[in-house]
């Protein structure tokens, strides 16, 4: 048996090392490890809870808006705000814009070099793609689209900046609504950008994904995970964020149920944390541990989250749970969200900033759930006198990159890797890289997930 | 183009929609490269941050990323962009570092945790060794021609070092015995980073302020150039987010934040926080975020020590 440390796994956000054990051309064990830790939950303590929207966006640069959104939903409930329809349209337009930049960048900048021969100059030198199958013409077209994608993703962030002030870490999507005034010029500008982005997605991203899926169709059978899929729902409407356009769900043994927060559990068997006096403390170098990510489970089982889970749970995709399914579902979702964004841009009514913030919180404990780009996102806060006592975050990456728990269950990424056949030794990194990146890894996010007080409250708000 | 003219170009301030400082930079770079065929060799390390700075960098407009790669820099190592992976990626980290010793620019994105021997951030692991960010930054920082800290975490610790800072994270300059060019911001504005790299390529070290930030971008406060300065002067303050008056009353850090956001703006120069009726939160500052919180409380009543 051979032990190989796949590190660094490049082309993702943050730092990831995956230790694999290969025996007779087959991966027999995998330990997926996040190697960075920042401890955001500690940083949130003793701050005013209204700081959460801007502070928690700093958890993640590629999905920052999702953290700001989760924190806003949390504060909306804590302060008992009423959201206007215009505020929800604007929020969802910004949400959509950040989704589009994320998915476009992931497919082209991070995933594409797993399938396409890139030019042999920096930063693409040393690619060593041992299983390149595209003909020269298609290959060239996709390389060109890598750089066209740079522009489409930039345009997506331009829409976010138009309404949010900047990107990443936008400013206007806060609790109580949106601080920017939707005016005809901004709406028109965003619509024009949206049109170009949609054209890129329709004319390039969708066919390019189709091409990769056809040429590498064996990846519909490689990197398969158990069919345990979870979503907290995406795109909230209604005065109390109570209408969810894409409802959440738990898919287990082909039964679809609504998610319940009380079924979520975290543990630290394989994580660099130790428990002392009822509190978790970081414990780098803890024997047997290999990651800063905790194991998270729903009803005692690891669950996969992300575009594939959303698309299957909402009945938009009926494929399997392999590498290519994840890639295709992400592109499908990109297309759908670009259409929604245009619809919402046309629905916004020009007017004053749709924001109304009440001054005093009426609740001291709230858990907010949404989906981010990579899957389920949970923010949970306990406060006193407006100051944070504890703030907990469970990011999508924690679900997908869960390390082995006390009963030895593997998280989705580890499950996808184990059992993979490696026909030739020089194909190892190429194959593993494709599987791992199909989950859209973001380790900057994963590293903060720490339920400091171990007190996720049993509040159901899907 | 002479250095002074280039700096002047970077300072040229306009809020027109078609304002593109970076296009002008690109022309200047093209002119420069007639005489100097070498691009700037760059090694980019990601340490403790949120990845927001590489995302911001991807949103550079004129030059777009392709032009940056084709015309300006040879990005020899970057966890974000490089096609190589695993051990092969690690090998091409150290080989060019030796080949371009003294000539390459080290860009660090993120703070460096120093507590517990830096074990809170491993840039890579091998079968028998963990390479901490502390080790990598120290080693490569000693070999680089210039060191650039991209973003506030790398410059000063930033959000990664927010109190109580349980990982003991610090800015890059704290672990290196040499000058670090701090291009702060949370995230960095792509113009600031691309402009700094362009300056290094063509003219070497840019003029720096007391916090070692290029004065061409950080030389004036947000307050000085703010579109809402007239409201401030007339003591006409916003009551709530969404108002059009001066945001000082809602915690704006503009008066003590060096950055050209009011002119330059963000993402193809379309907007910035005050333009969307929210305060500047001082994200380029040495004491961000602790010195800026509570974000919506006026400056005199903020409580950094808490």
């Amino acid at each position: 048996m051979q032990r190989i440390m796949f590190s660094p796994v490049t082309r993702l956000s943050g730092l990831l090392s995956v230790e694999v054990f290969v025996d007779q051309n087959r991966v027999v064990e995998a330990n997926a490890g996040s190697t960075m830790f920042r401890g955001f939950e500690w940083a949130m303590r003793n701050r005013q809870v209204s700081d959460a929207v801007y502070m928690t966006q700093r958890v993640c640069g590629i999905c920052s808006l999702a953290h700001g959104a989760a924190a806003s939903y949390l504060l909306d409930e804590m302060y008992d705000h009423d959201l206007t329809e215009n505020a929800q349209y604007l929020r969802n337009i910004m949400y959509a814009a950040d989704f589009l930049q994320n998915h476009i960048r992931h497919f082209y900048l991070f995933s594409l070099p797993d399938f396409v021969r890139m030019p042999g100059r920096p930063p693409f030198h040393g690619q060593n793609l041992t299983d390149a199958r595209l003909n020269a013409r298609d290959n060239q077209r996709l390389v060109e689209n890598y750089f066209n994608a740079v522009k489409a993703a930039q345009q997506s962030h331009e829409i976010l900046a138009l309404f949010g002030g900047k990107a990443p870490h936008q400013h206007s999507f806060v609790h109580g609504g949106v601080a920017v005034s939707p005016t005809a010029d901004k709406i028109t500008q965003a619509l024009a950008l949206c049109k170009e982005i949609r054209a890129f997605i329709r004319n390039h991203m969708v066919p390019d994904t189709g091409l990769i899926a056809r040429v590498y169709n064996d990846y519909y059978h490689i990197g398969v995970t158990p069919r345990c899929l979870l979503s907290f729902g995406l795109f909230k409407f209604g005065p109390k964020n109570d209408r969810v356009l894409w409802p959440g769900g738990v898919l287990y043994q082909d039964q679809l149920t609504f998610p319940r927060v009380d079924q979520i559990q975290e543990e630290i068997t394989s994580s660099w944390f130790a428990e002392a006096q009822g509190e978790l403390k970081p414990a780098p170098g803890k024997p047997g541990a290999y990651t800063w990510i905790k194991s998270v489970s729903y009803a005692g089982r690891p669950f996969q989250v992300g575009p594939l889970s959303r698309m299957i749970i909402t009945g938009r995709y009926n494929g399997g749970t392999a590498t290519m399914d994840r890639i295709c579902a992400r592109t499908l979702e990109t297309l759908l969200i670009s259409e929604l964004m245009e619809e919402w841009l046309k629905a916004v009514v020009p007017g004053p900033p749709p924001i109304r913030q009440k001054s005093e919180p009426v609740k001291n404990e709230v858990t907010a759930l949404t989906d981010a780009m990579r899957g389920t996102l949970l923010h949970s806060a306990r406060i006193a006198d407006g100051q944070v006592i504890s703030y907990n975050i469970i990011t999508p990456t924690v679900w997908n990159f869960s390390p082995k728990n006390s009963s030895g269950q593997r998280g989705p990424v580890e499950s996808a890797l184990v059992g993979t056949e490696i026909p030739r030794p020089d194909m190892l990194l190429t194959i593993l890289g494709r599987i791992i990146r199909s989950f859209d890894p973001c380790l900057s996010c994963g590293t903060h997930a720490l339920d400091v007080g171990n007190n996720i409250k049993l509040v159901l708000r899907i | 183009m002479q250095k002074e003219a280039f700096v002047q170009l970077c300072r040229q301030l306009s809020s027109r929609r078609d304002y593109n400082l970076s296009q002008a930079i690109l022309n200047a770079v093209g002119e420069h490269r007639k005489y100097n065929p070498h691009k700037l060799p760059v090694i980019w390390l990601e340490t403790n941050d949120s990845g927001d700075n590489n995302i911001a960098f991807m949103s550079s407009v004129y030059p777009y990323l392709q032009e940056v790669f084709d015309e300006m820099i040879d990005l020899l190592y970057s966890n974000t962009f490089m096609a190589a992976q695993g051990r092969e990626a690690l090998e091409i980290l150290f080989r060019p570092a030796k080949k371009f010793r003294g000539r390459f620019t080290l860009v660090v994105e993120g703070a460096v945790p120093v507590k517990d021997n830096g074990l809170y951030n491993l840039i890579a692991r091998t079968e028998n060794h963990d390479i901490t960010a502390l080790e990598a930054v120290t080693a490569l920082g000693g070999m680089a021609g210039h060191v650039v800290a991209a973003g506030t975490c790398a410059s000063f610790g930033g959000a990664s070092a927010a109190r109580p800072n349980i990982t003991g994270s610090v800015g890059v300059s704290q672990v290196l015995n040499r000058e670090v060019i701090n291009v702060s911001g949370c995230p960095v504005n792509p113009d600031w980073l691309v402009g700094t790299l362009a300056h290094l390529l063509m003219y070497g070290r840019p003029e720096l302020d007391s916090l070692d930030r290029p004065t061409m971008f950080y030389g004036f406060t947000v307050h000085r150039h703010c579109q809402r300065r007239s409201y401030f002067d007339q003591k006409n303050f916003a009551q709530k987010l969404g108002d059009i008056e001066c945001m000082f009353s809602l915690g704006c850090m503009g008066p003590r934040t060096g950055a050209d956001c009011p002119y330059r703006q963000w993402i193809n120069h379309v907007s910035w926080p005050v333009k969307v009726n929210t305060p500047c939160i001082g994200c380029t500052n040495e004491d961000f975020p602790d010195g800026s919180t509570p974000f919506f409380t006026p400056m005199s009543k903020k409580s950094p020590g808490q």
Side-chain angles (χ1 to χ4, degrees), chain B residues 30-197:
Chain B
E31 185 191 320
H32 173 82
R33 288 191 59 226
K34 281 183 211 152
Y35 305 100
N36 181 354
H38 299 293
K39 291 192 277 179
L40 191 71
V42 172
I43 290 176
W44 182 317
L45 286 183
E46 185 174 357
T47 58
N48 256 17
D49 82 324
S50 73
D52 55 341
N53 298 298
N54 65 62
I55 291 294
F57 178 67
M58 291 178 202
S59 284
S60 175
V61 171
Y62 300 117
Y64 283 93
L65 202 58
Q66 179 166 19
E67 296 159 309
V68 175
F69 289 162
D70 287 352
E71 312 281 328
M72 289 181 57
I73 67 172
D74 270 333
L75 192 53
L76 301 168
Y77 183 92
S78 153
N79 193 63
T80 310
F81 296 104
M82 67 196 305
Q85 51 184 345
R87 179 59 72 87
E88 290 159 2
L90 206 52
E91 277 165 16
I92 60 176
L93 171 60
F94 291 106
R95 229 183 308 127
K98 285 186 190 116
K99 182 175 167 198
F100 294 100
R101 189 183 190 110
R103 282 190 292 144
F104 75 87
T105 295
L106 177 67
V107 174
V108 182
E109 173 187 9
V112 183
V114 297
K115 200 175 140 194
D116 296 325
N117 298 319
L119 283 175
Y120 296 101
N121 187 298
L122 311 176
I123 65 143
R125 314 184 76 183
T126 69
E127 282 74 8
N128 44 32
H129 183 65
D130 292 339
I131 304 171
T132 64
L134 179 60
E135 259 179 283
V137 170
T138 313
L140 294 166
M143 298 162 79
H146 294 281
V147 180
V148 172
T152 299
C153 285
S155 298
F156 311 121
S160 297
R163 66 175 162 73
N165 192 8
I166 61 167
T167 63
S169 283
V170 298
V172 172
S173 61
Q174 299 292 303
V175 301
L176 291 180
N177 206 357
R178 62 172 296 163
E179 180 178 274
V180 173
I181 300 170
N182 292 322
V183 192
S184 63
C186 188
V188 68
N189 189 310
D191 284 12
W192 301 337
L193 183 57
V194 173
T196 300
L197 293 174

Side-chain angles (χ1 to χ4, degrees), chain B residues 245-295:
Chain B
E245 295 86 5
C246 173
M247 287 285 150
F248 186 75
S249 48
L250 296 178
C252 188
M253 293 291 291
R256 72 166 182 85
T257 301
D260 60 8
C261 294
Y263 288 110
R264 182 172 310 282
Q265 310 194 33
W266 288 77
I267 315 295
N268 203 14
H269 321 103
V270 294
S271 193
W272 70 291
V274 172
K275 195 167 166 181
V276 298
N277 311 315
T278 62
C280 158
I281 58 172
C283 75
T284 59
N285 288 337
E286 196 178 13
D287 61 355
F288 179 81
D290 292 349
S292 299
T293 55
F295 291 127

Side-chain angles (χ1 to χ4, degrees), chain A residues 158 162 189 193, chain B residues 14-20 267-270:
Chain A
E158 193 168 329
L162 264 173
Q189 203 173 328
L193 288 161
Chain B
S14 155
S15 53
R16 288 208 316 276
R17 171 75 180 84
D18 62 352
Y19 162 62
N20 277 316
I267 315 295
N268 203 14
H269 321 103
V270 294

